[in-house]
């Protein structure tokens, strides 16, 4: 295990302005938000680039514009993207879009419950883009192990979606246990969804695991109060890390 934990900021996900008025969508907004979350303690960034109409995209031009803008704002800070199947459900088209990326991110997340996940991960590795294997259940760990790609991943994302904090922490522990049982020994980053995010993060910190936070994952602080922006979420998570140091 590595300590202190590595803190990543997830800036937008599939969120819209209706979810939160300060969700960054354009490349300019992503660059500006990246700068302030890094100042607040983030050491890496995860973003979902948008088309001009605000919809998520895997298209090369929009991907490149977002990556370039973020790197200009935060030189040297690793930038990661999504490969979510909901953006392009057709596996062949999704692979073609990823193959078209010219301004490549440092890493990309692959949800191992999605159709085509193994092919997407292999393509990323071929293109020398780090793979974050997204694991929401113990079954996803089995899929990752069967692929033979576990040890080639940059890290695994233990990303539990349970609505109850105790259940979310237990689900993360179960995934962690299965990774250990199957001897997939790569860095782990834990995160949740909604208010349970904070319980998952705190449990992960005590075990020296990496964490992430941002408006993609939660709109509230640990006390349930609405978060002003990504920077406030990141600063709160960084304070938790310091508290457990």
């Amino acid at each position: 295990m590595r300590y202190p934990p590595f803190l990543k900021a997830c800036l937008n996900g599939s969120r819209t302005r209706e979810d939160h008025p300060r969700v960054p969508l354009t490349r300019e907004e992503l660059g500006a938000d990246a700068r302030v979350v890094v100042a607040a303690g983030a050491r890496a960034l995860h973003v979902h680039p948008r088309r001009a109409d605000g919809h998520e995209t895997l298209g090369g031009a929009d991907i490149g514009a977002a990556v370039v803008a973020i790197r200009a704002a935060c030189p040297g800070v690793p930038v990661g993207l999504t490969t979510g199947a909901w953006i392009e459900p057709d596996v062949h088209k999704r692979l073609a879009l990823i193959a078209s990326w010219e301004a490549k991110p440092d890493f990309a997340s692959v949800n191992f419950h999605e159709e085509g996940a193994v092919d997407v991960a292999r393509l990323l590795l071929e293109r020398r883009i780090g793979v974050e294997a997204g694991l929401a259940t113990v079954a996803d760990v089995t899929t990752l192990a069967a692929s033979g790609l576990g040890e080639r991943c940059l890290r695994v994302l233990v990303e539990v979606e349970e609505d109850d904090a105790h259940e979310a922490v237990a689900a993360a522990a179960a995934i962690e246990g299965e990774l250990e049982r199957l001897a997939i020994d790569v860095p782990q980053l834990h995160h949740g969804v909604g208010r349970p995010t904070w319980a998952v993060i705190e449990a992960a910190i005590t075990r020296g695991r990496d964490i992430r936070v941002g408006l993609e994952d939660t709109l509230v602080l640990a006390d349930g109060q609405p978060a002003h922006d990504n920077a406030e979420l990141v600063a709160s998570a960084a304070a938790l890390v310091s508290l457990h140091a």
Side-chain angles (χ1 to χ4, degrees):
M1 294 185 190
R2 182 170 66 257
Y3 200 85
F6 173 96
L7 171 56
K8 180 169 66 174
C10 50
L11 300 186
N12 56 0
S14 300
R15 301 284 192 185
T16 69
R17 299 274 201 252
E18 293 181 0
D19 296 311
H20 195 287
R22 300 183 74 89
V23 172
L25 300 177
T26 68
R27 61 185 177 182
E28 293 84 5
E29 291 167 350
L30 288 170
D33 213 43
R35 187 182 295 111
V36 296
V37 299
V38 169
R43 293 172 52 197
L45 304 158
H46 172 77
V47 302
H48 292 210
R50 299 299 210 275
R51 302 193 310 245
D53 63 6
H55 288 88
E56 293 171 271
T57 181
L58 299 178
D62 294 305
I63 291 290
V67 170
V68 168
I70 293 169
R71 286 192 173 137
C74 305
V77 177
V79 180
L81 305 177
T82 183
T83 61
W86 66 89
I87 302 173
E88 177 46 74
D90 184 287
V91 175
H92 298 294
K93 291 181 180 178
R94 197 182 331 143
L95 291 168
L97 288 168
I98 294 168
S100 75
W101 295 353
E102 293 186 6
K104 297 187 292 186
D106 297 285
F107 55 87
S109 61
V110 181
N111 302 313
F112 265 72
H113 68 273
E114 293 177 346
E115 182 183 0
V118 174
D119 290 334
V120 169
R122 285 180 177 146
L123 174 60
L124 292 170
L125 290 168
E126 287 171 8
R127 303 208 65 209
R128 298 185 179 181
I129 298 171
V131 171
E132 294 186 313
L135 311 175
T137 66
V138 169
D140 294 342
V141 184
T142 302
T143 302
L144 176 61
S147 75
L149 300 177
E151 294 295 322
R152 298 179 64 191
C153 290
L154 176 67
R155 65 180 67 92
V156 297
L157 306 179
V158 178
E159 40 192 11
V160 293
E161 300 179 354
E162 281 74 6
D163 293 330
D164 176 81
H166 294 293
E167 291 177 3
V169 170
I175 293 171
E176 185 172 17
E178 187 70 356
L179 286 164
E180 182 176 357
R181 188 183 74 82
L182 294 175
I184 300 176
D185 187 20
V186 295
Q188 295 180 29
L189 183 153
H190 292 214
H191 71 97
V193 174
R195 189 163 181 178
T197 291
W198 294 101
V200 172
I201 285 175
E202 189 156 16
I205 291 170
T206 63
R207 296 197 295 275
R209 299 305 186 188
D210 298 335
I211 59 173
R212 89 174 196 186
V213 76
L215 291 173
E216 173 176 354
D217 289 346
T218 185
L219 304 177
V220 300
L221 300 170
D223 62 3
Q225 292 299 307
H228 178 67
D229 55 15
N230 277 312
E232 186 174 28
L233 288 167
V234 170
S236 296
L240 270 179
V241 172
S242 296
L243 182 65
H244 288 276

